[in-house]
Amino acid sequence: AFVNGLVNLLAENWEHSRRHLDRSLQLSEKIGDAPGHARALAYLTVLERRVGNRDRAIEHARKLKEAVESSQQAAYLSVALAQSGWWAAQEGDFDAAEADCSEAVRLWEERPVSYPLQWLAYWPLARIGLETQRTDRLRDAFCMLTREDQQPMPRTIDSHITETVRLIDHGDT
């Protein structure tokens, strides 16, 4: 169920993804699989955020944070922190957003393999850079979004990111 949910999430087949991830969550709860539970919640938060269901994304993120803390599943703590930071940025609390997203990034940097969905933290950090007129922060976040080890952005967004970085580098902001 989980693999089907993840594949459909990455293919942007939202309803199929939700059905499989919900099933994975139910199965993991039923058999007491704490890592599976955290994994399903992590990607449900991503799904709900991608489709614009803020309340459900935050609900899943809160459950994820609790699951991670109680089961020592540190691998998904960064996802919970990034989602919490995203929510804080949505609410205009840029200090809390920056703290949570920066901590998520720090945890990802400690891992031996790059986590490919770091956009979860870098989009809120980019927004903070934009809202606070800190172009260096905006540039850093945008550069991370376009790294080869990250989930590719849609082409139209990628080209805008690349052009924005070019303008910042040339002082044209």
Side-chain angles (χ1 to χ4, degrees):
F2 173 75
V3 172
N4 285 331
L6 180 60
V7 168
N8 279 287
L9 173 66
L10 296 175
E12 299 183 357
N13 296 324
W14 309 128
E15 290 309 311
H16 292 293
S17 179
R18 181 178 289 113
R19 186 175 66 245
H20 290 292
L21 290 173
D22 281 341
R23 180 73 178 135
S24 178
L25 183 64
Q26 292 168 359
L27 289 171
S28 64
E29 288 173 347
K30 184 176 181 177
I31 64 172
D33 176 10
H37 181 77
R39 184 174 48 244
L41 281 170
Y43 291 99
L44 279 166
T45 68
V46 174
L47 168 69
E48 298 302 348
R49 181 169 158 184
R50 287 294 312 276
V51 299
N53 291 333
R54 287 177 23 164
D55 293 340
R56 288 189 71 183
I58 294 308
E59 177 187 339
H60 287 312
R62 286 185 182 130
K63 289 177 182 177
L64 173 60
K65 194 169 185 183
E66 291 170 12
V68 165
E69 290 170 349
S70 67
S71 68
Q72 304 295 314
Q73 295 297 311
Y76 294 108
L77 177 57
S78 51
V79 173
L81 287 166
Q83 298 293 47
S84 176
W86 166 71
W87 177 252
Q90 295 289 318
E91 297 295 307
D93 187 350
F94 296 137
D95 291 336
E98 187 165 13
D100 284 348
C101 289
S102 294
E103 180 63 9
V105 168
R106 186 189 69 73
L107 291 171
W108 281 321
E109 288 173 350
E110 289 178 354
R111 296 178 52 88
V113 177
S114 181
Y115 184 74
L117 303 181
Q118 292 183 31
W119 61 263
L120 294 167
Y122 281 108
W123 275 118
L125 289 171
R127 178 178 180 192
I128 293 165
L130 183 64
E131 296 279 348
T132 61
Q133 299 181 353
R134 293 166 51 196
T135 55
D136 58 324
R137 292 295 202 132
L138 177 64
R139 183 195 183 285
D140 291 347
F142 275 4
C143 285
M144 289 301 296
L145 289 168
T146 58
R147 282 188 0 199
E148 286 185 13
D149 62 351
Q150 294 302 298
Q151 180 185 22
M153 295 289 110
R155 289 188 200 277
T156 54
I157 293 173
D158 189 59
S159 64
H160 289 297
I161 290 171
T162 301
E163 180 63 10
T164 301
V165 169
R166 188 191 69 73
L167 290 171
I168 291 171
D169 287 347
H170 290 89
D172 296 336
T173 57

